Amino acid sequence: MSREPNAINLGKVVSVRGSVVDIRFDEQLPPIYSLLSADQGRIVIEVLTQLDAQRVRGIALTPTQGLARGMLVENTGAPLQAPVGKGILSRMFDVFGNAIDREAEPTDIQWRSVHRAPPPLVRRSTQSEVFETGIKVIDVLVPLERGGKAGLFGGAGVGKTVLLTEMIHNMIGHQEGVSIFCGIGERCREGEELYREMKEAGVLPNMVMIFGQMNEPPGARFRVGHAALTMAEYFRDNEHRDVLLLIDNIFRFIQAGMEISGLMGQMPSRLGYQPTMGTELSGLEERIANTDNGAITSIQAVYVPADDLTDPAAAHTFSHLSASIVLSRKRASEGLFPAIDPLQSSSKMTTPGIVGERHYRLAQEIRRTLAQYEQLKDIIAMLGLEQLSPQDRNVVARARRLERFLTQPFFTTEQFTGLQGKLVSLKDSLDGCERILRDEFKDHPESALYMIGAVDEAKQKTKSAKPASSAPSEPAQQTQAKTFTKPPAEAKSQL
C-alpha cells in the first residue's frame, strides 16, 4: 500500500495530543481520509481535516506511544482498505485487514477502500420480503425485513449477544448466505468465545469476523464498521449472495465518534454527543441495502445507556431501522428468554399487505391480550386474581400461556441450560399462538408451554408429567392463583 518515500509524500509531526496528531507537509497536502504511517509503519494515522495550506490533523488508528514532534511521517497515498474475496471466509480480522486468528495470512483476496458511497436509488429493490429467523417471538410479532435493518435494544446483560449468535446459527443453517460479524468496541473474550462456538457448530466456512476491540484507540473502533460493510458489499455485488451483517454494538460506533469529535476539538451537542452524530450514523446505515444483486440484512445490537430509550444515540438509531427489538430486564429476571418485550418492540413489516391477513390479525390479537394482562397486573397485585371477572381471568390465563410459549431454547446456550435448541418455522409459531388464543391449552399447566418448540410438545410434556401428580385437575380459572408454575427466577416476582 505504501510508495517509495520522497519529498512530496513526507511530512513532520508538529504536535501529538493523545490520539490526535498534527502533521506539516511542505510540498503537498494529503487528501482527507489518506493514511499516514510513522515509525516504520508501526503507527498509522488517518487524515480528518486540513488545517491550513501546510498542516493536516489526523486521528491515530494505533496507539501513539513513541511518536514525537519532528518525526517523519509518510503519506501512503491511499485510504484505509479492507480485504475482500473468497479468501476471507472463515477468518477473523482487525480493522487493517490483518488476520488475528493465528492462521496464515489469507490468499486470493483484493483490497478495497472502506469509504464507499451507498448504492444509488435506481439499483435498490422496492419489494419487501420477510426474513425468517426460526425464533418464535421475532417471526410472529417483530418480523424482520430482507435487506432491512433491525435493532436489538437493551441494557447490559439482558441477552443481546446471545440472541445475535443464535441468529447466526439459524441463518447459516437454513439459508445459503454469508454472515459477517462486526464487533465494535466489544470485549475480546466475546470474540474468542464466538469464534470457538461457530467453529464447533460448523458454520465458520460461510462466516467472516472483524473486530475493533474495547481497548483499541477510538479511530480503529470508528472505522471497523466501514471495513465490515466493504466486505459485505463484495459478497452482495460481486458474488450475488445474501449477507447477514451482525453489528455488536452500534452504540460503541457512536461512542467512538464522540471520542474523536472531542479529541478534534468540536463543540459537543446534547448530553456530550458529537454534533455530527446523525451524519456519521447515516453514512454507515445507508450502505446497508437491498439491491438487484442481493441483500445485506443487518441486525444491530444497541446498548441503551441506563435503559433510557430517549437517549440521543438510541433515538438516532431508531430512525434507520425497519424493526426494533427491545429486550426487557424485567422479563430476563422472570426467566422468559429471549427477553423480548412484545409491547415495546415493533416492525414496519407487520402489515396485511406484507405478512398476510392471518399473520397480521394474530399478531394484533396477541399484542392486545398481552396489553390487557399488563393493565390487569396492578389489580391482581392489590386485590388478587379471585377479584377479576371470569372474562379477565381467561385473558390472564391466555396471556401467561402465550408468554411461556414465546420462550425458546437456543442452540448456542445448550451447554448452559441442558435444553436442546429449537428452530421453529413461522407456520408452527402462528399455529401455536392461534391454538392458545382459542383456549385449546387452558387445561394444560403453564409450565408445559415453557421452553418448547412447536406447541404440540406441550401435550407430550403434560403426558410425561401426569403420573407424578394424580390429583384431579381443577378448572384453569380457579387454579391460576395457586399454580402459576413459573420458571425458578419468577417465584417471588411473577407480577
Side-chain angles (χ1 to χ4, degrees):
M1 198 159 65
S2 61
R3 307 178 299 185
E4 283 298 312
N6 58 52
I8 292 179
N9 62 355
L10 281 181
K12 278 188 180 178
V13 175
V14 178
S15 68
V16 183
R17 296 185 310 282
S19 291
V20 174
V21 186
D22 288 1
I23 301 130
R24 180 186 181 88
F25 285 85
D26 292 324
E27 299 282 334
Q28 182 181 331
L29 274 188
I32 302 287
Y33 297 145
S34 296
L35 278 196
L36 314 176
S37 70
D39 197 9
Q40 295 161 349
R42 191 181 62 81
I43 295 169
V44 182
I45 301 156
E46 184 180 57
V47 176
L48 287 187
T49 56
Q50 296 175 336
L51 296 173
D52 52 37
Q54 292 183 315
R55 289 185 307 142
V56 295
R57 179 169 288 169
I59 191 90
L61 305 184
T62 55
T64 53
Q65 284 90 346
L67 193 65
R69 279 187 295 180
M71 280 180 74
L72 286 179
V73 175
E74 184 198 347
N75 175 15
T76 64
L80 180 65
Q81 297 187 329
V84 297
K86 290 186 177 174
I88 67 172
L89 286 171
S90 81
R91 304 302 301 273
M92 186 191 278
F93 298 94
D94 65 7
V95 69
F96 301 107
N98 302 318
I100 54 172
D101 51 8
R102 298 184 185 174
E103 305 276 338
E105 286 295 320
T107 54
D108 186 28
I109 58 169
Q110 310 157 29
W111 292 84
R112 285 189 186 174
S113 166
V114 303
H115 304 283
R116 297 167 66 82
L121 284 173
V122 291
R123 281 197 48 219
R124 296 193 180 218
S125 171
T126 54
Q127 285 185 318
S128 290
E129 295 177 47
V130 173
F131 185 74
E132 267 194 56
T133 64
I135 298 169
K136 290 182 283 193
V137 65
I138 292 177
D139 289 343
V140 172
L141 295 174
V142 203
L144 306 186
E145 180 183 13
R146 179 178 173 269
K149 297 176 274 281
L152 286 178
F153 291 82
V158 292
K160 296 186 296 296
T161 306
V162 170
L163 200 51
L164 279 185
T165 51
E166 182 70 8
M167 285 185 190
I168 295 172
H169 185 282
N170 292 359
M171 289 310 98
I172 298 179
H174 70 273
Q175 298 212 3
E176 291 299 315
V178 176
S179 273
I180 296 178
F181 186 93
C182 173
I184 305 179
E186 287 300 298
R187 302 160 191 83
C188 59
R189 69 166 172 80
E190 291 181 345
E192 187 274 331
E193 284 171 7
L194 181 71
Y195 182 80
R196 193 160 24 85
E197 284 168 11
M198 295 300 109
K199 199 169 186 176
E200 287 169 7
V203 297
L204 210 53
N206 282 316
M207 190 171 177
V208 186
M209 297 185 206
I210 180 165
F211 284 91
Q213 291 168 20
M214 215 173 230
N215 62 324
E216 292 185 31
R221 285 181 271 129
F222 189 64
R223 287 287 173 237
V224 73
H226 298 96
L229 263 166
T230 304
M231 295 173 174
E233 285 165 346
Y234 165 82
F235 287 110
R236 179 191 66 193
D237 300 335
N238 293 59
E239 298 210 358
H240 306 302
R241 295 174 77 175
D242 282 356
V243 183
L244 179 66
L245 174 65
L246 299 119
I247 302 177
D248 188 9
N249 186 305
I250 204 76
F251 173 77
R252 307 284 177 210
F253 168 77
I254 293 170
Q255 203 173 36
M258 180 166 62
E259 287 179 50
I260 291 170
S261 171
L263 289 165
M264 297 292 287
Q266 292 179 341
M267 184 71 75
S269 178
R270 185 174 157 229
L271 293 186
Y273 286 103
Q274 64 271 40
T276 52
M277 175 167 64
T279 309
E280 290 166 3
L281 191 61
S282 301
L284 189 73
E285 298 280 8
E286 286 301 303
R287 289 170 65 180
I288 301 167
N290 189 357
T291 70
D292 44 13
N293 291 327
I296 299 175
T297 303
S298 174
I299 300 169
Q300 308 166 9
V302 187
Y303 169 71
V304 181
D307 292 342
D308 176 17
L309 289 170
T310 63
D311 185 88
H316 271 266
T317 309
F318 262 123
S319 63
H320 290 280
L321 304 174
S322 52
S324 302
I325 300 169
V326 179
L327 296 170
S328 152
R329 194 175 301 283
K330 185 171 177 291
R331 290 176 74 82
S333 68
E334 291 175 2
L336 299 170
F337 291 104
I340 294 169
D341 188 327
L343 300 178
Q344 281 195 295
S345 305
S346 62
S347 168
K348 72 170 193 180
M349 303 295 285
T350 320
T351 62
I354 297 172
V355 296
E357 191 66 47
R358 174 178 176 245
H359 185 163
Y360 174 76
R361 180 178 46 77
L362 270 174
Q364 292 300 98
E365 196 174 343
I366 291 164
R367 284 181 193 279
R368 190 162 52 247
T369 305
L370 294 174
Q372 284 176 294
Y373 176 42
E374 200 63 36
Q375 290 172 343
L376 291 169
K377 279 183 178 179
D378 287 342
I379 299 172
I380 298 169
M382 288 186 291
L383 304 174
L385 196 71
E386 294 82 2
Q387 301 304 314
L388 296 181
S389 67
Q391 188 180 355
D392 283 346
R393 270 182 276 182
N394 280 333
V395 167
V396 170
R398 278 183 219 123
R400 289 183 62 84
R401 280 165 174 75
L402 279 171
E403 278 184 341
R404 277 143 191 77
F405 176 62
L406 293 175
T407 62
Q408 192 166 338
F410 282 174
F411 291 98
T412 49
T413 57
E414 281 180 7
Q415 56 184 344
F416 306 113
T417 61
L419 297 171
Q420 188 185 348
K422 306 280 184 185
L423 187 76
V424 187
S425 68
L426 177 61
K427 180 182 178 296
D428 287 346
S429 302
L430 291 173
D431 283 349
C433 291
E434 190 172 41
R435 288 164 68 182
I436 290 168
L437 287 167
R438 288 202 312 251
D439 288 339
E440 190 177 316
F441 291 85
K442 69 177 181 179
D443 295 325
H444 290 68
E446 291 168 4
S447 57
L449 292 155
Y450 179 65
M451 286 292 171
I452 60 169
V455 77
D456 286 326
E457 291 177 32
K459 294 187 174 179
Q460 295 164 12
K461 271 179 93 172
T462 308
K463 277 179 191 172
S464 59
K466 263 186 180 172
S469 61
S470 53
S473 60
E474 302 173 63
Q477 300 97 295
Q478 295 169 15
T479 56
Q480 282 299 313
K482 300 173 195 171
T483 50
F484 269 133
T485 52
K486 48 206 163 285
E490 281 184 285
K492 291 185 181 173
S493 60
Q494 80 265 14
L495 304 173

Coordinates of all heavy atoms in Angstrom, one line a residue, residues 449-489:
L449 N -45.8 -25.2 28.5 CA -45.5 -24.4 27.3 C -44.2 -23.7 27.4 O -43.8 -23.0 26.5 CB -46.7 -23.4 27.2 CG -48.0 -24.0 26.8 CD1 -49.1 -23.0 27.2 CD2 -48.1 -24.2 25.3
Y450 N -43.5 -23.8 28.5 CA -42.3 -23.1 28.8 C -41.1 -23.8 28.1 O -40.9 -25.0 28.2 CB -42.0 -22.9 30.3 CG -40.8 -22.2 30.6 CD1 -40.6 -20.9 30.3 CD2 -39.7 -22.9 31.3 CE1 -39.5 -20.2 30.7 CE2 -38.6 -22.2 31.7 CZ -38.4 -20.9 31.4 OH -37.3 -20.2 31.7
M451 N -40.3 -23.0 27.3 CA -39.1 -23.5 26.7 C -39.4 -24.8 25.8 O -38.8 -25.8 25.9 CB -38.0 -23.9 27.7 CG -37.3 -22.6 28.3 SD -36.4 -21.8 27.0 CE -36.0 -20.2 27.9
I452 N -40.3 -24.6 24.9 CA -40.6 -25.7 23.9 C -40.5 -25.1 22.5 O -40.3 -23.9 22.3 CB -42.0 -26.3 24.1 CG1 -43.1 -25.3 23.9 CG2 -42.1 -27.0 25.4 CD1 -44.5 -25.8 23.8
G453 N -40.5 -26.0 21.5 CA -40.5 -25.6 20.1 C -41.9 -25.4 19.6 O -42.6 -24.5 20.0
A454 N -42.4 -26.3 18.8 CA -43.8 -26.3 18.3 C -44.8 -26.6 19.5 O -44.4 -27.2 20.5 CB -44.0 -27.3 17.2
V455 N -46.0 -26.1 19.4 CA -46.9 -26.2 20.5 C -47.3 -27.6 20.9 O -47.7 -27.9 22.1 CB -48.2 -25.3 20.2 CG1 -49.1 -26.0 19.3 CG2 -48.9 -24.9 21.5
D456 N -47.3 -28.6 20.0 CA -47.7 -30.0 20.3 C -46.7 -30.6 21.3 O -47.1 -31.6 22.0 CB -47.7 -30.8 19.0 CG -48.9 -30.5 18.2 OD1 -50.0 -30.2 18.8 OD2 -48.8 -30.5 16.9
E457 N -45.5 -30.0 21.5 CA -44.6 -30.5 22.5 C -45.2 -30.4 23.9 O -44.8 -31.1 24.8 CB -43.2 -29.8 22.4 CG -42.5 -30.2 21.2 CD -41.2 -29.4 21.1 OE1 -40.6 -29.1 22.1 OE2 -40.7 -29.1 19.9
A458 N -46.1 -29.4 24.1 CA -46.7 -29.1 25.4 C -47.5 -30.3 25.8 O -47.5 -30.7 27.0 CB -47.6 -27.9 25.3
K459 N -48.2 -31.0 24.9 CA -49.1 -32.1 25.2 C -48.2 -33.3 25.7 O -48.5 -34.0 26.6 CB -49.9 -32.5 24.0 CG -50.9 -31.5 23.6 CD -51.9 -31.9 22.5 CE -52.9 -30.8 22.3 NZ -53.9 -31.2 21.2
Q460 N -47.0 -33.5 25.0 CA -46.1 -34.5 25.4 C -45.6 -34.3 26.8 O -45.5 -35.2 27.6 CB -45.0 -34.6 24.4 CG -45.4 -35.1 23.0 CD -44.3 -34.8 22.0 OE1 -43.2 -34.5 22.3 NE2 -44.7 -34.9 20.7
K461 N -45.3 -33.0 27.1 CA -44.7 -32.6 28.4 C -45.8 -32.9 29.5 O -45.5 -33.4 30.6 CB -44.3 -31.2 28.5 CG -42.9 -30.9 28.1 CD -42.6 -29.4 28.1 CE -42.0 -29.0 29.4 NZ -41.5 -27.6 29.4
T462 N -47.0 -32.6 29.2 CA -48.1 -32.8 30.1 C -48.3 -34.3 30.4 O -48.5 -34.7 31.6 CB -49.5 -32.2 29.6 OG1 -49.2 -30.8 29.2 CG2 -50.5 -32.2 30.7
K463 N -48.3 -35.1 29.3 CA -48.4 -36.5 29.5 C -47.3 -37.1 30.4 O -47.6 -37.9 31.3 CB -48.4 -37.2 28.1 CG -49.7 -37.2 27.4 CD -49.6 -37.9 26.0 CE -50.9 -37.6 25.2 NZ -50.7 -38.1 23.8
S464 N -46.1 -36.7 30.1 CA -45.0 -37.3 30.9 C -45.0 -36.8 32.3 O -44.4 -37.4 33.2 CB -43.6 -36.9 30.2 OG -43.5 -35.5 30.1
A465 N -45.7 -35.7 32.6 CA -45.7 -35.1 34.0 C -46.9 -35.7 34.8 O -46.9 -35.6 36.0 CB -45.7 -33.6 33.9
K466 N -47.9 -36.2 34.1 CA -49.1 -36.6 34.8 C -48.9 -37.7 35.8 O -49.5 -37.6 36.9 CB -50.2 -37.1 33.8 CG -51.1 -36.0 33.5 CD -52.3 -36.4 32.6 CE -53.2 -35.2 32.3 NZ -54.2 -35.5 31.3
P467 N -48.1 -38.8 35.6 CA -48.0 -39.8 36.6 C -47.5 -39.3 38.0 O -47.8 -39.8 39.0 CB -47.0 -40.8 36.0 CG -47.1 -40.6 34.5 CD -47.5 -39.1 34.4
A468 N -46.7 -38.2 37.9 CA -46.1 -37.6 39.1 C -47.2 -37.0 40.0 O -47.1 -37.1 41.2 CB -45.1 -36.6 38.8
S469 N -48.3 -36.5 39.4 CA -49.3 -35.9 40.3 C -50.7 -36.4 39.8 O -51.1 -36.0 38.7 CB -49.3 -34.4 40.2 OG -49.5 -34.0 38.8
S470 N -51.3 -37.3 40.5 CA -52.6 -37.9 40.1 C -53.8 -37.1 40.6 O -54.9 -37.6 40.6 CB -52.6 -39.4 40.6 OG -52.4 -39.4 42.0
A471 N -53.5 -35.9 41.1 CA -54.6 -35.1 41.7 C -55.5 -34.7 40.5 O -55.1 -34.4 39.4 CB -54.1 -33.9 42.4
P472 N -56.9 -34.7 40.8 CA -57.8 -34.2 39.7 C -57.5 -32.8 39.3 O -57.2 -32.0 40.1 CB -59.2 -34.4 40.3 CG -59.0 -34.4 41.8 CD -57.6 -34.9 42.0
S473 N -57.7 -32.5 38.0 CA -57.4 -31.2 37.5 C -58.6 -30.3 37.7 O -59.7 -30.6 37.4 CB -57.0 -31.2 36.0 OG -58.1 -31.7 35.3
E474 N -58.4 -29.1 38.3 CA -59.5 -28.1 38.5 C -59.5 -27.2 37.3 O -58.6 -27.2 36.5 CB -59.1 -27.2 39.7 CG -58.9 -28.0 41.0 CD -58.4 -27.1 42.1 OE1 -59.2 -26.2 42.5 OE2 -57.3 -27.3 42.6
P475 N -60.7 -26.5 37.2 CA -60.7 -25.6 36.0 C -59.6 -24.5 36.1 O -59.2 -24.2 37.2 CB -62.1 -24.9 36.2 CG -62.9 -25.8 37.1 CD -61.9 -26.6 37.9
A476 N -59.1 -24.1 35.0 CA -57.9 -23.3 34.9 C -58.1 -22.0 35.7 O -57.2 -21.5 36.4 CB -57.6 -23.0 33.4
Q477 N -59.3 -21.4 35.6 CA -59.5 -20.1 36.2 C -59.3 -20.2 37.7 O -58.8 -19.3 38.4 CB -60.9 -19.5 35.9 CG -61.2 -19.3 34.5 CD -62.0 -20.5 33.9 OE1 -61.4 -21.6 33.8 NE2 -63.2 -20.3 33.5
Q478 N -59.8 -21.3 38.3 CA -59.7 -21.4 39.8 C -58.3 -21.7 40.3 O -58.0 -21.3 41.4 CB -60.7 -22.5 40.3 CG -62.1 -22.2 40.0 CD -63.0 -23.4 40.2 OE1 -62.6 -24.4 40.8 NE2 -64.2 -23.4 39.7
T479 N -57.5 -22.3 39.4 CA -56.2 -22.7 39.9 C -55.1 -21.7 39.6 O -54.0 -21.9 39.9 CB -55.8 -24.1 39.3 OG1 -55.9 -23.9 37.9 CG2 -56.7 -25.2 39.8
Q480 N -55.4 -20.6 38.8 CA -54.4 -19.7 38.4 C -53.7 -19.1 39.6 O -52.4 -19.0 39.6 CB -55.0 -18.5 37.7 CG -55.4 -18.8 36.2 CD -54.2 -19.2 35.5 OE1 -53.2 -18.5 35.5 NE2 -54.2 -20.2 34.7
A481 N -54.4 -18.8 40.7 CA -53.7 -18.2 41.8 C -52.8 -19.2 42.6 O -51.8 -18.8 43.2 CB -54.8 -17.6 42.8
K482 N -53.2 -20.5 42.5 CA -52.4 -21.5 43.2 C -51.2 -22.0 42.5 O -50.2 -22.2 43.0 CB -53.3 -22.7 43.6 CG -54.5 -22.3 44.4 CD -55.4 -23.5 44.6 CE -56.8 -23.0 45.1 NZ -57.7 -24.1 45.1
T483 N -51.4 -22.3 41.2 CA -50.4 -22.9 40.4 C -50.0 -22.0 39.2 O -50.4 -22.2 38.1 CB -50.9 -24.2 39.8 OG1 -52.1 -24.0 39.2 CG2 -51.0 -25.3 40.9
F484 N -49.1 -21.1 39.5 CA -48.6 -20.2 38.4 C -47.6 -21.0 37.6 O -47.3 -20.6 36.5 CB -48.1 -18.9 38.9 CG -49.1 -17.8 39.0 CD1 -49.2 -17.0 40.1 CD2 -49.9 -17.6 37.9 CE1 -50.2 -16.0 40.1 CE2 -50.9 -16.6 37.9 CZ -51.0 -15.8 39.0
T485 N -47.0 -22.0 38.2 CA -46.0 -22.8 37.5 C -45.0 -22.0 36.7 O -45.1 -22.0 35.5 CB -46.6 -23.9 36.6 OG1 -47.6 -23.3 35.8 CG2 -47.3 -25.0 37.5
K486 N -44.2 -21.3 37.3 CA -43.3 -20.3 36.6 C -41.9 -20.8 36.7 O -41.5 -21.7 37.5 CB -43.4 -18.9 37.3 CG -43.3 -19.0 38.8 CD -44.0 -17.8 39.4 CE -44.2 -18.0 40.9 NZ -45.3 -18.9 41.2
P487 N -41.0 -20.2 35.9 CA -39.6 -20.6 36.0 C -39.0 -20.1 37.4 O -39.6 -19.3 38.0 CB -38.9 -19.7 34.9 CG -40.1 -19.3 34.0 CD -41.3 -19.3 34.8
P488 N -38.0 -20.8 37.8 CA -37.5 -20.5 39.2 C -37.3 -19.1 39.5 O -37.6 -18.6 40.6 CB -36.1 -21.2 39.2 CG -36.2 -22.2 38.1 CD -37.2 -21.7 37.1
A489 N -36.8 -18.3 38.6 CA -36.5 -16.9 38.9 C -37.7 -16.1 39.1 O -37.7 -15.0 39.7 CB -35.7 -16.2 37.8

